[in-house]
Amino acid sequence: MSFVRKFLSIYKTDLKLLRRDPMLVYSVAMTLVLLLIVRYFKDRIGVYYPLLALLMMLFIPMIFGMVPGFMMADEKEDKTIQALQVIPISSEAFLAYRLTWASVVTVVMTGLAPTILDIEISRNGLLALMALFVLEVWIYGLLITVFSESRMQALTVSKVLGWLLMLPPLIKLVVEWRDLSTDWSRFTAFLPTYWLYRVFEGIPLNDYGDFPTAVLVHLVWLVPLVVLFRRRVL
């Protein structure tokens, strides 16, 4: 089977899933609505707006990582993912296909987000966020896929992961709002979103010293998930 035919087989499966449940369309619409709602309240939020804007931007990789994660959970439940094993394609190539389109949509939405939210982000800052968001799409999609055997399990896993990954900026928001002497968000430094916030915080100062650490922490999460996917899924 040629390289093109391999991916056409998977593509046909994706189209069937999207026709049955057009999550991608809903996800794009939901992301735009969330960004527009936050933008509407910009003047009322005041000095906390940049942090809240980041919180909303965090939903971009979460939402678009969830879509392929749910699709693969569906395939596991319907046993169709086992059928893909007869196609001579590596696990890495399958993941690259399944998560690349979600990564592309994430990059596009991330590029639009500063304009919608009316915040200034430098070109280098935006590129840094895009790179980290793409890694988070993969992490989020793989977490749902690896630890879910059905759509219902995927919903539960996505809720737990959503709250977990939102903890660093949420805690930081409380620290700033209550003017606490201790930055309790440091205790979440094992989470990739903590370092995402650190990078976001340095962008206005043109300080990207935390970016290498952020990439490293994301990879520490991503690599084991790829290994687990190969062992437990495909």
Side-chain angles (χ1 to χ4, degrees):
M1 185 180 291
S2 70
F3 180 83
V4 174
R5 288 181 179 178
K6 294 176 188 177
F7 286 97
L8 280 177
S9 300
I10 306 172
Y11 180 68
K12 290 178 182 178
T13 303
D14 286 358
L15 283 179
K16 291 178 182 177
L17 288 171
L18 288 173
R19 279 198 298 267
R20 187 175 66 185
D21 187 1
M23 288 187 296
L24 182 59
V25 177
Y26 296 152
S27 298
V28 172
M30 183 169 63
T31 304
L32 289 173
V33 168
L34 284 172
L35 295 176
L36 288 169
I37 289 174
V38 174
R39 171 64 183 89
Y40 179 79
F41 291 101
K42 178 182 179 180
D43 294 334
R44 301 181 189 182
I45 297 170
V47 295
Y48 304 110
Y49 183 74
L51 188 53
L52 191 59
L54 173 63
L55 275 173
M56 289 302 102
M57 289 183 70
L58 284 179
F59 278 106
I60 296 174
M62 286 185 185
I63 290 172
F64 293 109
M66 179 181 67
V67 175
F70 271 56
M71 291 174 70
M72 287 188 278
D74 265 346
E75 290 170 342
K76 289 172 72 176
E77 184 177 16
D78 298 338
K79 308 299 182 184
T80 53
I81 200 164
Q82 283 82 354
L84 295 174
Q85 294 175 344
V86 302
I87 302 174
I89 182 174
S90 67
S91 300
E92 292 82 2
F94 174 75
L95 275 178
Y97 164 78
R98 181 52 57 80
L99 292 169
T100 293
W101 63 262
S103 302
V104 171
V105 176
T106 297
V107 168
V108 172
M109 293 300 296
T110 304
L112 293 174
T115 301
I116 297 173
L117 292 169
D118 193 24
I119 56 176
E120 292 186 9
I121 299 181
S122 66
R123 179 182 175 185
N124 289 338
L126 195 58
L127 290 174
L129 290 179
M130 286 177 177
L132 296 176
F133 279 178
V134 167
L135 290 174
E136 290 195 0
V137 166
W138 282 61
I139 291 170
Y140 199 67
L142 281 169
L143 281 169
I144 293 175
T145 304
V146 170
F147 296 106
S148 304
E149 297 296 331
S150 66
R151 173 174 283 265
M152 289 304 298
Q153 287 185 12
L155 281 170
T156 302
V157 171
S158 65
K159 290 176 183 177
V160 173
L161 291 175
W163 281 109
L164 183 65
L165 294 176
M166 293 293 284
L167 270 180
L170 280 173
I171 294 174
K172 187 67 176 180
L173 184 60
V174 172
V175 169
E176 296 271 345
W177 175 45
R178 303 299 297 177
D179 195 23
L180 301 178
S181 58
T182 302
D183 183 4
W184 295 98
S185 67
R186 289 181 298 178
F187 294 100
T188 63
F190 64 96
L191 295 172
T193 43
Y194 170 82
W195 295 99
L196 181 61
Y197 168 74
R198 292 290 298 268
V199 171
F200 185 81
E201 194 176 37
I203 288 175
L205 306 173
N206 201 30
D207 178 8
Y208 298 97
D210 288 317
F211 182 73
T213 305
V215 172
L216 179 62
V217 172
H218 280 73
L219 291 177
V220 166
W221 278 70
L222 179 59
V223 173
L225 287 170
V226 173
V227 173
L228 283 173
F229 179 85
R230 294 182 62 183
R231 291 180 179 177
R232 299 179 56 177
V233 182
L234 189 63

